[in-house]
Amino acid sequence: MSTTSLHSHSRLVPRMAYAASQSARVAWYLGQYMLAARLGARITGRDRVRHPTDKPVPDTRAILEELRALLARDLANIEAGWYRLPHDLVPDPRRVLADAAAFFRDVPLVSRRRRDHVATEVRANPPPGSESLPAYYRQNFHYQTGGYLTEESARLYDHQVEVLFGGGADAMRRQALVPIAQHLRGRRSADSRLLDVATGTGRFLTFVKDNHPRLPVTALDLSPAYLREARRNLAPWARNAALVQGAAEAIPLAEGTQDIVTCIYLFHELPPKIRAQAAREMARVLKPGGILVFMDSLQYGDNPAMDGLLDIFPQAFHEPFYAHYARDDLEALFAAAGLRPRERSLAFMSKLLVLEKPA
């Protein structure tokens, strides 16, 4: 076999593995989305799941085309060496089935909250230890059981998000690995520091650590339950992965200590004033020359074909601050905090910003 043939073969095998796994992933999660929508409609009433919008709403075919483009970009990044194939390309089938069963047990509860517009159960009946958390946080975001405050919610969250995005959530998150790899190029990762703000279950950090195992990371989150789930997920890298309970608007770290700050899907769930405070805090803890890698939902005008979905989303899923976020001037917000934009791009339903603290 020639050198060219060997090279082609070495690329073909991971490409086939990626294509097979991601095709199965999309079919699995998209199928659950469609079934959950059907089951939920029996409770909410079909007339109540049609939300008004005067903006374009993409059909399933258009959404799948956007998802295919995301997966093609994900594979291209892997082949370019920006990050590895996902560490759980073939997930544990027992966990996959258990999570699906738990998800469908929760669908009726979520649907009843949606029907009855009940979104503050966790404030009325706070789980132990959550009473002192900020009021804006003590809500049943997405109408999910337990909000962000229970072990059951933390266990189920990543599965729920994958169902919502038809199996594309991890691929969207992985786009944030590219600017991290670019920033670390030529640096010793062991001498750098990364802070993940609102880490949730630590899912994104598992991708970071899988690619940069010697990079010290700090996982910050308000929820003790989600931090416990993050501890389990980050157990293989526990030696240089710290977990800290704290708020994005009051980060309990010293000024100028972080080379990279990441913030994935937080800002659309923050009130406007808290959003501005969080931006200032992330800028404060960055070193001069450090970067903020920010990913969140699309905003109006980013992809006009998707604008109708931005109308529907906060109505269908309890998101009290989303409508303001979708119109917020993020670059002006970060500029006021002392950060300047370096890159911007779209990835399916998300936007990625890379901002720098001037040296």
mmCIF file with all atom_site columns, all heavy atoms in Angstrom, residues 137-161:
data_model
loop_
_atom_site.group_PDB
_atom_site.id
_atom_site.type_symbol
_atom_site.label_atom_id
_atom_site.label_alt_id
_atom_site.label_comp_id
_atom_site.label_asym_id
_atom_site.label_entity_id
_atom_site.label_seq_id
_atom_site.pdbx_PDB_ins_code
_atom_site.Cartn_x
_atom_site.Cartn_y
_atom_site.Cartn_z
_atom_site.occupancy
_atom_site.B_iso_or_equiv
_atom_site.pdbx_formal_charge
_atom_site.auth_seq_id
_atom_site.auth_comp_id
_atom_site.auth_asym_id
_atom_site.auth_atom_id
_atom_site.pdbx_PDB_model_num
ATOM 1   N N   . TYR A 1 137 ? -32.281 32.597 40.060 1.00 0.00 ? 137 TYR A N   1
ATOM 2   C CA  . TYR A 1 137 ? -31.796 31.237 39.797 1.00 0.00 ? 137 TYR A CA  1
ATOM 3   C C   . TYR A 1 137 ? -32.765 30.168 40.282 1.00 0.00 ? 137 TYR A C   1
ATOM 4   O O   . TYR A 1 137 ? -32.786 29.064 39.753 1.00 0.00 ? 137 TYR A O   1
ATOM 5   C CB  . TYR A 1 137 ? -30.448 31.077 40.499 1.00 0.00 ? 137 TYR A CB  1
ATOM 6   C CG  . TYR A 1 137 ? -29.678 29.827 40.158 1.00 0.00 ? 137 TYR A CG  1
ATOM 7   C CD1 . TYR A 1 137 ? -29.134 29.653 38.886 1.00 0.00 ? 137 TYR A CD1 1
ATOM 8   C CD2 . TYR A 1 137 ? -29.483 28.827 41.102 1.00 0.00 ? 137 TYR A CD2 1
ATOM 9   C CE1 . TYR A 1 137 ? -28.415 28.515 38.573 1.00 0.00 ? 137 TYR A CE1 1
ATOM 10  C CE2 . TYR A 1 137 ? -28.764 27.684 40.802 1.00 0.00 ? 137 TYR A CE2 1
ATOM 11  C CZ  . TYR A 1 137 ? -28.223 27.538 39.538 1.00 0.00 ? 137 TYR A CZ  1
ATOM 12  O OH  . TYR A 1 137 ? -27.511 26.398 39.232 1.00 0.00 ? 137 TYR A OH  1
ATOM 13  N N   . ARG A 1 138 ? -33.571 30.509 41.282 1.00 0.00 ? 138 ARG A N   1
ATOM 14  C CA  . ARG A 1 138 ? -34.485 29.532 41.877 1.00 0.00 ? 138 ARG A CA  1
ATOM 15  C C   . ARG A 1 138 ? -35.786 29.474 41.082 1.00 0.00 ? 138 ARG A C   1
ATOM 16  O O   . ARG A 1 138 ? -36.849 29.877 41.547 1.00 0.00 ? 138 ARG A O   1
ATOM 17  C CB  . ARG A 1 138 ? -34.718 29.878 43.350 1.00 0.00 ? 138 ARG A CB  1
ATOM 18  C CG  . ARG A 1 138 ? -33.489 29.643 44.209 1.00 0.00 ? 138 ARG A CG  1
ATOM 19  C CD  . ARG A 1 138 ? -33.714 29.946 45.683 1.00 0.00 ? 138 ARG A CD  1
ATOM 20  N NE  . ARG A 1 138 ? -33.710 31.379 45.944 1.00 0.00 ? 138 ARG A NE  1
ATOM 21  C CZ  . ARG A 1 138 ? -34.728 32.048 46.453 1.00 0.00 ? 138 ARG A CZ  1
ATOM 22  N NH1 . ARG A 1 138 ? -35.864 31.429 46.730 1.00 0.00 ? 138 ARG A NH1 1
ATOM 23  N NH2 . ARG A 1 138 ? -34.629 33.351 46.664 1.00 0.00 ? 138 ARG A NH2 1
ATOM 24  N N   . GLN A 1 139 ? -35.672 28.967 39.863 1.00 0.00 ? 139 GLN A N   1
ATOM 25  C CA  . GLN A 1 139 ? -36.815 28.789 38.965 1.00 0.00 ? 139 GLN A CA  1
ATOM 26  C C   . GLN A 1 139 ? -36.697 27.437 38.278 1.00 0.00 ? 139 GLN A C   1
ATOM 27  O O   . GLN A 1 139 ? -35.620 26.858 38.218 1.00 0.00 ? 139 GLN A O   1
ATOM 28  C CB  . GLN A 1 139 ? -36.848 29.889 37.904 1.00 0.00 ? 139 GLN A CB  1
ATOM 29  C CG  . GLN A 1 139 ? -36.890 31.300 38.448 1.00 0.00 ? 139 GLN A CG  1
ATOM 30  C CD  . GLN A 1 139 ? -37.176 32.312 37.365 1.00 0.00 ? 139 GLN A CD  1
ATOM 31  O OE1 . GLN A 1 139 ? -38.132 32.177 36.599 1.00 0.00 ? 139 GLN A OE1 1
ATOM 32  N NE2 . GLN A 1 139 ? -36.355 33.349 37.289 1.00 0.00 ? 139 GLN A NE2 1
ATOM 33  N N   . ASN A 1 140 ? -37.817 26.977 37.751 1.00 0.00 ? 140 ASN A N   1
ATOM 34  C CA  . ASN A 1 140 ? -37.802 25.748 36.954 1.00 0.00 ? 140 ASN A CA  1
ATOM 35  C C   . ASN A 1 140 ? -37.534 26.124 35.497 1.00 0.00 ? 140 ASN A C   1
ATOM 36  O O   . ASN A 1 140 ? -38.433 26.097 34.647 1.00 0.00 ? 140 ASN A O   1
ATOM 37  C CB  . ASN A 1 140 ? -39.131 25.005 37.074 1.00 0.00 ? 140 ASN A CB  1
ATOM 38  C CG  . ASN A 1 140 ? -39.403 24.513 38.481 1.00 0.00 ? 140 ASN A CG  1
ATOM 39  O OD1 . ASN A 1 140 ? -39.794 25.300 39.344 1.00 0.00 ? 140 ASN A OD1 1
ATOM 40  N ND2 . ASN A 1 140 ? -39.189 23.234 38.713 1.00 0.00 ? 140 ASN A ND2 1
ATOM 41  N N   . PHE A 1 141 ? -36.282 26.520 35.213 1.00 0.00 ? 141 PHE A N   1
ATOM 42  C CA  . PHE A 1 141 ? -35.919 26.816 33.830 1.00 0.00 ? 141 PHE A CA  1
ATOM 43  C C   . PHE A 1 141 ? -36.276 25.616 32.962 1.00 0.00 ? 141 PHE A C   1
ATOM 44  O O   . PHE A 1 141 ? -36.072 24.459 33.339 1.00 0.00 ? 141 PHE A O   1
ATOM 45  C CB  . PHE A 1 141 ? -34.424 27.109 33.722 1.00 0.00 ? 141 PHE A CB  1
ATOM 46  C CG  . PHE A 1 141 ? -34.027 28.438 34.296 1.00 0.00 ? 141 PHE A CG  1
ATOM 47  C CD1 . PHE A 1 141 ? -33.494 28.533 35.575 1.00 0.00 ? 141 PHE A CD1 1
ATOM 48  C CD2 . PHE A 1 141 ? -34.187 29.604 33.564 1.00 0.00 ? 141 PHE A CD2 1
ATOM 49  C CE1 . PHE A 1 141 ? -33.129 29.758 36.112 1.00 0.00 ? 141 PHE A CE1 1
ATOM 50  C CE2 . PHE A 1 141 ? -33.817 30.838 34.085 1.00 0.00 ? 141 PHE A CE2 1
ATOM 51  C CZ  . PHE A 1 141 ? -33.291 30.917 35.370 1.00 0.00 ? 141 PHE A CZ  1
ATOM 52  N N   . HIS A 1 142 ? -36.807 25.911 31.765 1.00 0.00 ? 142 HIS A N   1
ATOM 53  C CA  . HIS A 1 142 ? -37.252 24.891 30.801 1.00 0.00 ? 142 HIS A CA  1
ATOM 54  C C   . HIS A 1 142 ? -38.417 24.069 31.361 1.00 0.00 ? 142 HIS A C   1
ATOM 55  O O   . HIS A 1 142 ? -38.751 23.028 30.798 1.00 0.00 ? 142 HIS A O   1
ATOM 56  C CB  . HIS A 1 142 ? -36.109 23.930 30.412 1.00 0.00 ? 142 HIS A CB  1
ATOM 57  C CG  . HIS A 1 142 ? -34.794 24.588 30.222 1.00 0.00 ? 142 HIS A CG  1
ATOM 58  N ND1 . HIS A 1 142 ? -33.622 24.101 30.746 1.00 0.00 ? 142 HIS A ND1 1
ATOM 59  C CD2 . HIS A 1 142 ? -34.467 25.734 29.586 1.00 0.00 ? 142 HIS A CD2 1
ATOM 60  C CE1 . HIS A 1 142 ? -32.621 24.895 30.441 1.00 0.00 ? 142 HIS A CE1 1
ATOM 61  N NE2 . HIS A 1 142 ? -33.114 25.900 29.731 1.00 0.00 ? 142 HIS A NE2 1
ATOM 62  N N   . TYR A 1 143 ? -39.017 24.526 32.456 1.00 0.00 ? 143 TYR A N   1
ATOM 63  C CA  . TYR A 1 143 ? -40.045 23.769 33.176 1.00 0.00 ? 143 TYR A CA  1
ATOM 64  C C   . TYR A 1 143 ? -39.515 22.444 33.700 1.00 0.00 ? 143 TYR A C   1
ATOM 65  O O   . TYR A 1 143 ? -40.282 21.540 34.011 1.00 0.00 ? 143 TYR A O   1
ATOM 66  C CB  . TYR A 1 143 ? -41.279 23.530 32.296 1.00 0.00 ? 143 TYR A CB  1
ATOM 67  C CG  . TYR A 1 143 ? -42.039 24.785 31.942 1.00 0.00 ? 143 TYR A CG  1
ATOM 68  C CD1 . TYR A 1 143 ? -42.102 25.238 30.622 1.00 0.00 ? 143 TYR A CD1 1
ATOM 69  C CD2 . TYR A 1 143 ? -42.697 25.531 32.913 1.00 0.00 ? 143 TYR A CD2 1
ATOM 70  C CE1 . TYR A 1 143 ? -42.798 26.397 30.290 1.00 0.00 ? 143 TYR A CE1 1
ATOM 71  C CE2 . TYR A 1 143 ? -43.392 26.691 32.581 1.00 0.00 ? 143 TYR A CE2 1
ATOM 72  C CZ  . TYR A 1 143 ? -43.434 27.119 31.283 1.00 0.00 ? 143 TYR A CZ  1
ATOM 73  O OH  . TYR A 1 143 ? -44.122 28.258 30.956 1.00 0.00 ? 143 TYR A OH  1
ATOM 74  N N   . GLN A 1 144 ? -38.194 22.301 33.814 1.00 0.00 ? 144 GLN A N   1
ATOM 75  C CA  . GLN A 1 144 ? -37.629 21.017 34.197 1.00 0.00 ? 144 GLN A CA  1
ATOM 76  C C   . GLN A 1 144 ? -37.805 20.760 35.695 1.00 0.00 ? 144 GLN A C   1
ATOM 77  O O   . GLN A 1 144 ? -37.768 21.681 36.514 1.00 0.00 ? 144 GLN A O   1
ATOM 78  C CB  . GLN A 1 144 ? -36.151 20.932 33.823 1.00 0.00 ? 144 GLN A CB  1
ATOM 79  C CG  . GLN A 1 144 ? -35.224 21.886 34.552 1.00 0.00 ? 144 GLN A CG  1
ATOM 80  C CD  . GLN A 1 144 ? -33.854 21.972 33.886 1.00 0.00 ? 144 GLN A CD  1
ATOM 81  O OE1 . GLN A 1 144 ? -33.737 21.986 32.659 1.00 0.00 ? 144 GLN A OE1 1
ATOM 82  N NE2 . GLN A 1 144 ? -32.812 22.016 34.696 1.00 0.00 ? 144 GLN A NE2 1
ATOM 83  N N   . THR A 1 145 ? -38.009 19.528 36.036 1.00 0.00 ? 145 THR A N   1
ATOM 84  C CA  . THR A 1 145 ? -38.194 19.138 37.420 1.00 0.00 ? 145 THR A CA  1
ATOM 85  C C   . THR A 1 145 ? -36.944 19.442 38.227 1.00 0.00 ? 145 THR A C   1
ATOM 86  O O   . THR A 1 145 ? -35.844 19.057 37.848 1.00 0.00 ? 145 THR A O   1
ATOM 87  C CB  . THR A 1 145 ? -38.518 17.643 37.507 1.00 0.00 ? 145 THR A CB  1
ATOM 88  O OG1 . THR A 1 145 ? -39.689 17.369 36.720 1.00 0.00 ? 145 THR A OG1 1
ATOM 89  C CG2 . THR A 1 145 ? -38.777 17.214 38.952 1.00 0.00 ? 145 THR A CG2 1
ATOM 90  N N   . GLY A 1 146 ? -37.125 20.167 39.339 1.00 0.00 ? 146 GLY A N   1
ATOM 91  C CA  . GLY A 1 146 ? -36.000 20.484 40.204 1.00 0.00 ? 146 GLY A CA  1
ATOM 92  C C   . GLY A 1 146 ? -35.204 21.694 39.786 1.00 0.00 ? 146 GLY A C   1
ATOM 93  O O   . GLY A 1 146 ? -34.244 22.058 40.469 1.00 0.00 ? 146 GLY A O   1
ATOM 94  N N   . GLY A 1 147 ? -35.567 22.343 38.677 1.00 0.00 ? 147 GLY A N   1
ATOM 95  C CA  . GLY A 1 147 ? -34.759 23.455 38.199 1.00 0.00 ? 147 GLY A CA  1
ATOM 96  C C   . GLY A 1 147 ? -33.317 23.006 38.043 1.00 0.00 ? 147 GLY A C   1
ATOM 97  O O   . GLY A 1 147 ? -33.039 21.949 37.476 1.00 0.00 ? 147 GLY A O   1
ATOM 98  N N   . TYR A 1 148 ? -32.386 23.810 38.554 1.00 0.00 ? 148 TYR A N   1
ATOM 99  C CA  . TYR A 1 148 ? -30.974 23.428 38.543 1.00 0.00 ? 148 TYR A CA  1
ATOM 100 C C   . TYR A 1 148 ? -30.502 23.000 39.938 1.00 0.00 ? 148 TYR A C   1
ATOM 101 O O   . TYR A 1 148 ? -29.308 23.064 40.232 1.00 0.00 ? 148 TYR A O   1
ATOM 102 C CB  . TYR A 1 148 ? -30.115 24.611 38.074 1.00 0.00 ? 148 TYR A CB  1
ATOM 103 C CG  . TYR A 1 148 ? -30.221 24.916 36.600 1.00 0.00 ? 148 TYR A CG  1
ATOM 104 C CD1 . TYR A 1 148 ? -30.503 26.208 36.169 1.00 0.00 ? 148 TYR A CD1 1
ATOM 105 C CD2 . TYR A 1 148 ? -30.047 23.919 35.656 1.00 0.00 ? 148 TYR A CD2 1
ATOM 106 C CE1 . TYR A 1 148 ? -30.603 26.490 34.806 1.00 0.00 ? 148 TYR A CE1 1
ATOM 107 C CE2 . TYR A 1 148 ? -30.147 24.200 34.301 1.00 0.00 ? 148 TYR A CE2 1
ATOM 108 C CZ  . TYR A 1 148 ? -30.422 25.488 33.889 1.00 0.00 ? 148 TYR A CZ  1
ATOM 109 O OH  . TYR A 1 148 ? -30.519 25.768 32.548 1.00 0.00 ? 148 TYR A OH  1
ATOM 110 N N   . LEU A 1 149 ? -31.435 22.534 40.770 1.00 0.00 ? 149 LEU A N   1
ATOM 111 C CA  . LEU A 1 149 ? -31.121 22.425 42.188 1.00 0.00 ? 149 LEU A CA  1
ATOM 112 C C   . LEU A 1 149 ? -31.147 21.013 42.748 1.00 0.00 ? 149 LEU A C   1
ATOM 113 O O   . LEU A 1 149 ? -30.927 20.845 43.949 1.00 0.00 ? 149 LEU A O   1
ATOM 114 C CB  . LEU A 1 149 ? -32.089 23.315 42.991 1.00 0.00 ? 149 LEU A CB  1
ATOM 115 C CG  . LEU A 1 149 ? -32.120 24.791 42.566 1.00 0.00 ? 149 LEU A CG  1
ATOM 116 C CD1 . LEU A 1 149 ? -33.143 25.549 43.385 1.00 0.00 ? 149 LEU A CD1 1
ATOM 117 C CD2 . LEU A 1 149 ? -30.752 25.426 42.698 1.00 0.00 ? 149 LEU A CD2 1
ATOM 118 N N   . THR A 1 150 ? -31.400 20.002 41.945 1.00 0.00 ? 150 THR A N   1
ATOM 119 C CA  . THR A 1 150 ? -31.507 18.652 42.489 1.00 0.00 ? 150 THR A CA  1
ATOM 120 C C   . THR A 1 150 ? -30.592 17.676 41.768 1.00 0.00 ? 150 THR A C   1
ATOM 121 O O   . THR A 1 150 ? -30.196 17.895 40.616 1.00 0.00 ? 150 THR A O   1
ATOM 122 C CB  . THR A 1 150 ? -32.949 18.124 42.382 1.00 0.00 ? 150 THR A CB  1
ATOM 123 O OG1 . THR A 1 150 ? -33.306 17.993 40.995 1.00 0.00 ? 150 THR A OG1 1
ATOM 124 C CG2 . THR A 1 150 ? -33.942 19.057 43.078 1.00 0.00 ? 150 THR A CG2 1
ATOM 125 N N   . GLU A 1 151 ? -30.274 16.579 42.451 1.00 0.00 ? 151 GLU A N   1
ATOM 126 C CA  . GLU A 1 151 ? -29.453 15.518 41.861 1.00 0.00 ? 151 GLU A CA  1
ATOM 127 C C   . GLU A 1 151 ? -30.119 14.941 40.620 1.00 0.00 ? 151 GLU A C   1
ATOM 128 O O   . GLU A 1 151 ? -29.459 14.635 39.619 1.00 0.00 ? 151 GLU A O   1
ATOM 129 C CB  . GLU A 1 151 ? -29.224 14.409 42.892 1.00 0.00 ? 151 GLU A CB  1
ATOM 130 C CG  . GLU A 1 151 ? -28.510 14.850 44.154 1.00 0.00 ? 151 GLU A CG  1
ATOM 131 C CD  . GLU A 1 151 ? -27.008 14.941 43.974 1.00 0.00 ? 151 GLU A CD  1
ATOM 132 O OE1 . GLU A 1 151 ? -26.506 14.535 42.905 1.00 0.00 ? 151 GLU A OE1 1
ATOM 133 O OE2 . GLU A 1 151 ? -26.339 15.418 44.909 1.00 0.00 ? 151 GLU A OE2 1
ATOM 134 N N   . GLU A 1 152 ? -31.449 14.772 40.686 1.00 0.00 ? 152 GLU A N   1
ATOM 135 C CA  . GLU A 1 152 ? -32.175 14.185 39.557 1.00 0.00 ? 152 GLU A CA  1
ATOM 136 C C   . GLU A 1 152 ? -32.082 15.075 38.323 1.00 0.00 ? 152 GLU A C   1
ATOM 137 O O   . GLU A 1 152 ? -31.894 14.590 37.205 1.00 0.00 ? 152 GLU A O   1
ATOM 138 C CB  . GLU A 1 152 ? -33.647 13.956 39.944 1.00 0.00 ? 152 GLU A CB  1
ATOM 139 C CG  . GLU A 1 152 ? -33.873 12.940 41.037 1.00 0.00 ? 152 GLU A CG  1
ATOM 140 C CD  . GLU A 1 152 ? -33.555 13.451 42.438 1.00 0.00 ? 152 GLU A CD  1
ATOM 141 O OE1 . GLU A 1 152 ? -33.404 14.699 42.608 1.00 0.00 ? 152 GLU A OE1 1
ATOM 142 O OE2 . GLU A 1 152 ? -33.440 12.616 43.354 1.00 0.00 ? 152 GLU A OE2 1
ATOM 143 N N   . SER A 1 153 ? -32.193 16.379 38.532 1.00 0.00 ? 153 SER A N   1
ATOM 144 C CA  . SER A 1 153 ? -32.075 17.319 37.415 1.00 0.00 ? 153 SER A CA  1
ATOM 145 C C   . SER A 1 153 ? -30.674 17.277 36.814 1.00 0.00 ? 153 SER A C   1
ATOM 146 O O   . SER A 1 153 ? -30.510 17.258 35.581 1.00 0.00 ? 153 SER A O   1
ATOM 147 C CB  . SER A 1 153 ? -32.395 18.734 37.899 1.00 0.00 ? 153 SER A CB  1
ATOM 148 O OG  . SER A 1 153 ? -32.052 19.689 36.914 1.00 0.00 ? 153 SER A OG  1
ATOM 149 N N   . ALA A 1 154 ? -29.661 17.248 37.673 1.00 0.00 ? 154 ALA A N   1
ATOM 150 C CA  . ALA A 1 154 ? -28.281 17.227 37.186 1.00 0.00 ? 154 ALA A CA  1
ATOM 151 C C   . ALA A 1 154 ? -27.996 15.956 36.395 1.00 0.00 ? 154 ALA A C   1
ATOM 152 O O   . ALA A 1 154 ? -27.296 15.989 35.379 1.00 0.00 ? 154 ALA A O   1
ATOM 153 C CB  . ALA A 1 154 ? -27.318 17.347 38.369 1.00 0.00 ? 154 ALA A CB  1
ATOM 154 N N   . ARG A 1 155 ? -28.541 14.846 36.836 1.00 0.00 ? 155 ARG A N   1
ATOM 155 C CA  . ARG A 1 155 ? -28.319 13.575 36.159 1.00 0.00 ? 155 ARG A CA  1
ATOM 156 C C   . ARG A 1 155 ? -28.944 13.588 34.760 1.00 0.00 ? 155 ARG A C   1
ATOM 157 O O   . ARG A 1 155 ? -28.401 13.030 33.807 1.00 0.00 ? 155 ARG A O   1
ATOM 158 C CB  . ARG A 1 155 ? -28.933 12.452 36.994 1.00 0.00 ? 155 ARG A CB  1
ATOM 159 C CG  . ARG A 1 155 ? -29.040 11.108 36.325 1.00 0.00 ? 155 ARG A CG  1
ATOM 160 C CD  . ARG A 1 155 ? -27.774 10.320 36.412 1.00 0.00 ? 155 ARG A CD  1
ATOM 161 N NE  . ARG A 1 155 ? -27.882 9.050  35.704 1.00 0.00 ? 155 ARG A NE  1
ATOM 162 C CZ  . ARG A 1 155 ? -27.008 8.075  35.805 1.00 0.00 ? 155 ARG A CZ  1
ATOM 163 N NH1 . ARG A 1 155 ? -25.944 8.208  36.574 1.00 0.00 ? 155 ARG A NH1 1
ATOM 164 N NH2 . ARG A 1 155 ? -27.159 6.951  35.142 1.00 0.00 ? 155 ARG A NH2 1
ATOM 165 N N   . LEU A 1 156 ? -30.079 14.273 34.627 1.00 0.00 ? 156 LEU A N   1
ATOM 166 C CA  . LEU A 1 156 ? -30.851 14.215 33.390 1.00 0.00 ? 156 LEU A CA  1
ATOM 167 C C   . LEU A 1 156 ? -30.528 15.350 32.424 1.00 0.00 ? 156 LEU A C   1
ATOM 168 O O   . LEU A 1 156 ? -30.840 15.261 31.230 1.00 0.00 ? 156 LEU A O   1
ATOM 169 C CB  . LEU A 1 156 ? -32.347 14.246 33.745 1.00 0.00 ? 156 LEU A CB  1
ATOM 170 C CG  . LEU A 1 156 ? -33.375 13.951 32.664 1.00 0.00 ? 156 LEU A CG  1
ATOM 171 C CD1 . LEU A 1 156 ? -33.098 12.615 31.982 1.00 0.00 ? 156 LEU A CD1 1
ATOM 172 C CD2 . LEU A 1 156 ? -34.775 13.963 33.261 1.00 0.00 ? 156 LEU A CD2 1
ATOM 173 N N   . TYR A 1 157 ? -29.889 16.398 32.898 1.00 0.00 ? 157 TYR A N   1
ATOM 174 C CA  . TYR A 1 157 ? -29.773 17.635 32.129 1.00 0.00 ? 157 TYR A CA  1
ATOM 175 C C   . TYR A 1 157 ? -29.140 17.449 30.754 1.00 0.00 ? 157 TYR A C   1
ATOM 176 O O   . TYR A 1 157 ? -29.678 17.925 29.744 1.00 0.00 ? 157 TYR A O   1
ATOM 177 C CB  . TYR A 1 157 ? -28.977 18.668 32.931 1.00 0.00 ? 157 TYR A CB  1
ATOM 178 C CG  . TYR A 1 157 ? -28.738 19.941 32.166 1.00 0.00 ? 157 TYR A CG  1
ATOM 179 C CD1 . TYR A 1 157 ? -29.746 20.893 32.028 1.00 0.00 ? 157 TYR A CD1 1
ATOM 180 C CD2 . TYR A 1 157 ? -27.509 20.200 31.561 1.00 0.00 ? 157 TYR A CD2 1
ATOM 181 C CE1 . TYR A 1 157 ? -29.542 22.065 31.315 1.00 0.00 ? 157 TYR A CE1 1
ATOM 182 C CE2 . TYR A 1 157 ? -27.295 21.365 30.847 1.00 0.00 ? 157 TYR A CE2 1
ATOM 183 C CZ  . TYR A 1 157 ? -28.311 22.291 30.725 1.00 0.00 ? 157 TYR A CZ  1
ATOM 184 O OH  . TYR A 1 157 ? -28.110 23.439 30.004 1.00 0.00 ? 157 TYR A OH  1
ATOM 185 N N   . ASP A 1 158 ? -27.990 16.795 30.674 1.00 0.00 ? 158 ASP A N   1
ATOM 186 C CA  . ASP A 1 158 ? -27.297 16.677 29.386 1.00 0.00 ? 158 ASP A CA  1
ATOM 187 C C   . ASP A 1 158 ? -28.151 15.921 28.372 1.00 0.00 ? 158 ASP A C   1
ATOM 188 O O   . ASP A 1 158 ? -28.144 16.244 27.177 1.00 0.00 ? 158 ASP A O   1
ATOM 189 C CB  . ASP A 1 158 ? -25.947 15.989 29.563 1.00 0.00 ? 158 ASP A CB  1
ATOM 190 C CG  . ASP A 1 158 ? -24.925 16.886 30.253 1.00 0.00 ? 158 ASP A CG  1
ATOM 191 O OD1 . ASP A 1 158 ? -24.933 18.108 29.986 1.00 0.00 ? 158 ASP A OD1 1
ATOM 192 O OD2 . ASP A 1 158 ? -24.139 16.386 31.073 1.00 0.00 ? 158 ASP A OD2 1
ATOM 193 N N   . HIS A 1 159 ? -28.885 14.933 28.839 1.00 0.00 ? 159 HIS A N   1
ATOM 194 C CA  . HIS A 1 159 ? -29.774 14.196 27.937 1.00 0.00 ? 159 HIS A CA  1
ATOM 195 C C   . HIS A 1 159 ? -30.888 15.119 27.428 1.00 0.00 ? 159 HIS A C   1
ATOM 196 O O   . HIS A 1 159 ? -31.199 15.121 26.233 1.00 0.00 ? 159 HIS A O   1
ATOM 197 C CB  . HIS A 1 159 ? -30.369 12.997 28.675 1.00 0.00 ? 159 HIS A CB  1
ATOM 198 C CG  . HIS A 1 159 ? -31.165 12.096 27.786 1.00 0.00 ? 159 HIS A CG  1
ATOM 199 N ND1 . HIS A 1 159 ? -30.624 10.993 27.152 1.00 0.00 ? 159 HIS A ND1 1
ATOM 200 C CD2 . HIS A 1 159 ? -32.467 12.132 27.398 1.00 0.00 ? 159 HIS A CD2 1
ATOM 201 C CE1 . HIS A 1 159 ? -31.542 10.389 26.436 1.00 0.00 ? 159 HIS A CE1 1
ATOM 202 N NE2 . HIS A 1 159 ? -32.675 11.063 26.568 1.00 0.00 ? 159 HIS A NE2 1
ATOM 203 N N   . GLN A 1 160 ? -31.464 15.912 28.308 1.00 0.00 ? 160 GLN A N   1
ATOM 204 C CA  . GLN A 1 160 ? -32.532 16.834 27.901 1.00 0.00 ? 160 GLN A CA  1
ATOM 205 C C   . GLN A 1 160 ? -32.042 17.819 26.843 1.00 0.00 ? 160 GLN A C   1
ATOM 206 O O   . GLN A 1 160 ? -32.752 18.111 25.871 1.00 0.00 ? 160 GLN A O   1
ATOM 207 C CB  . GLN A 1 160 ? -33.047 17.603 29.121 1.00 0.00 ? 160 GLN A CB  1
ATOM 208 C CG  . GLN A 1 160 ? -33.823 16.765 30.108 1.00 0.00 ? 160 GLN A CG  1
ATOM 209 C CD  . GLN A 1 160 ? -34.146 17.526 31.380 1.00 0.00 ? 160 GLN A CD  1
ATOM 210 O OE1 . GLN A 1 160 ? -33.312 18.253 31.909 1.00 0.00 ? 160 GLN A OE1 1
ATOM 211 N NE2 . GLN A 1 160 ? -35.358 17.371 31.882 1.00 0.00 ? 160 GLN A NE2 1
ATOM 212 N N   . VAL A 1 161 ? -30.831 18.327 27.031 1.00 0.00 ? 161 VAL A N   1
ATOM 213 C CA  . VAL A 1 161 ? -30.290 19.306 26.083 1.00 0.00 ? 161 VAL A CA  1
ATOM 214 C C   . VAL A 1 161 ? -30.030 18.654 24.729 1.00 0.00 ? 161 VAL A C   1
ATOM 215 O O   . VAL A 1 161 ? -30.290 19.257 23.676 1.00 0.00 ? 161 VAL A O   1
ATOM 216 C CB  . VAL A 1 161 ? -29.009 19.949 26.652 1.00 0.00 ? 161 VAL A CB  1
ATOM 217 C CG1 . VAL A 1 161 ? -28.329 20.827 25.606 1.00 0.00 ? 161 VAL A CG1 1
ATOM 218 C CG2 . VAL A 1 161 ? -29.332 20.774 27.883 1.00 0.00 ? 161 VAL A CG2 1
#
